[in-house]
Amino acid sequence: MTDQRPCCVPAGPGSSTGVGAGTADGTPDPGARGADPTPLATIPAGSAALGDHFGDGYAGDGEGPVHEVELTAFRLGTTTVTNRAFAAFVDATGHRTTAETEGYSAVFHTDVAASVADVLGRSPATPWWVGVRGADWRHPEGPRSDIEERAEHPVVHVSHDDALAFARWAGRRLPTEAEWEYAARGGLTARRYPWGDDLMDGERWRVNIFQGSFPGTNTAEDGWTTTAPVTAYEPNGYGLHQMVGNVWEWCSDWFDPAAYGARARHDPRGPASGTVRVMRGGSFLCHDSYCNRYRVAARSAAPPDSSASNLGFRCAADVTSTTVRTTTKETHA
């Protein structure tokens, strides 16, 4: 693909609120007060060729060139942070998310659960996104929705600032973009997805994305119209669930479409500054006719104050014990 299309997450309300903002690189605050119950998988040190091996990406996203990186071992959440885990953080700290502070967030047009008075308007560039008063992590589709039956679903409507605040509290951090892609590949070499190259396992979907005719009709052939439970799909080779689909995941890096051309080989980090933060993995709203970003190489970004009903995160941590170095190798899909 040669064109660039707006991401499936709309821009934030205009300027970062700074709510719960952590350090610039997302490192944990030494005064962390809680714990993320999400298990961490140890991702072995090694090397991998990152980037778009197939020419599938949008030119403006900067998925190339394919380049070799070497990463120190690290740990990564086996799932995204759940509503249950985020609720514990809020109960312990009184944290108010960006969406709660601003009073609204973005909801996909067919999912809105709100009165007409609470529908504030549509995004000009992506009119399927609706600003809904009262939409937040507790009310994913608007004030007439709740998370009572979704404790093990990913928390959504969290900004980059909110994700940093949670990570600091839990003594963790956000993954770098390079860590995220390396882990998402699960030990496979030059594959589109965390499990291989095929979206389907026979007649069964391997990922929670949009089926039907985007943006009007979601046939939900995968069983979900919005988020799925965080362990609803099989993990990749590193034991990580839903590294693509379900919800977009914040990374620590500032976004630069030209970053790969000047990237360090060893433990690369993003630019020192920027206006938008990297998001990875795509979401339940990605569809190959519009947002083919549910691939391990796909990149996107949004302002750090952005929040939406398909935007979440998972935490990372450093390895503190000695780890035997391994090299990324081909494994069975």
Side-chain angles (χ1 to χ4, degrees), residues 7-10 80 105-108 111 128-129 140-141 154-158 208 214 225-227 245-250 279-286 291 306-313:
C7 178
C8 292
V9 173
T80 51
S105 190
V107 178
F108 192 67
D111 300 330
W128 43 86
W129 281 113
E141 291 78 51
V155 66
V156 292
H157 293 290
V158 283
N208 179 18
F214 185 88
T225 55
T226 60
T227 59
N246 216 26
V247 294
W248 284 100
E249 300 180 20
W250 288 113
M279 305 183 309
R280 285 296 206 123
S283 80
F284 65 85
L285 292 175
C286 280
C291 179
S306 295
S307 65
S309 57
N310 66 340
L311 181 51
F313 69 103

Side-chain angles (χ1 to χ4, degrees), residues 111-134:
D111 300 330
V112 173
S115 68
V116 173
D118 286 327
V119 176
L120 305 179
R122 294 175 180 259
S123 169
T126 51
W128 43 86
W129 281 113
V130 180
V132 177
R133 183 186 292 113

Side-chain angles (χ1 to χ4, degrees), residues 165-212:
F166 179 95
R168 293 176 64 199
W169 172 78
R172 296 182 176 180
R173 59 179 176 84
L174 297 181
T176 67
E177 183 179 18
E179 287 175 333
W180 189 97
E181 183 175 335
Y182 178 86
R185 291 184 176 276
L188 298 178
T189 300
R191 292 291 184 259
R192 281 190 172 90
Y193 310 115
W195 54 83
D197 291 330
D198 298 322
L199 275 178
M200 307 287 289
D201 179 8
E203 297 184 356
R204 183 173 63 90
W205 286 86
R206 296 177 183 263
V207 60
N208 179 18
I209 55 176
F210 193 102
Q211 291 92 35

Side-chain angles (χ1 to χ4, degrees), residues 38-69:
T38 309
L40 291 171
T42 297
I43 312 301
S47 62
L50 306 187
D52 178 13
H53 292 260
F54 300 94
D56 291 335
Y58 303 107
D61 286 353
E63 292 184 31
V66 173
H67 56 289
E68 194 87 4
V69 300

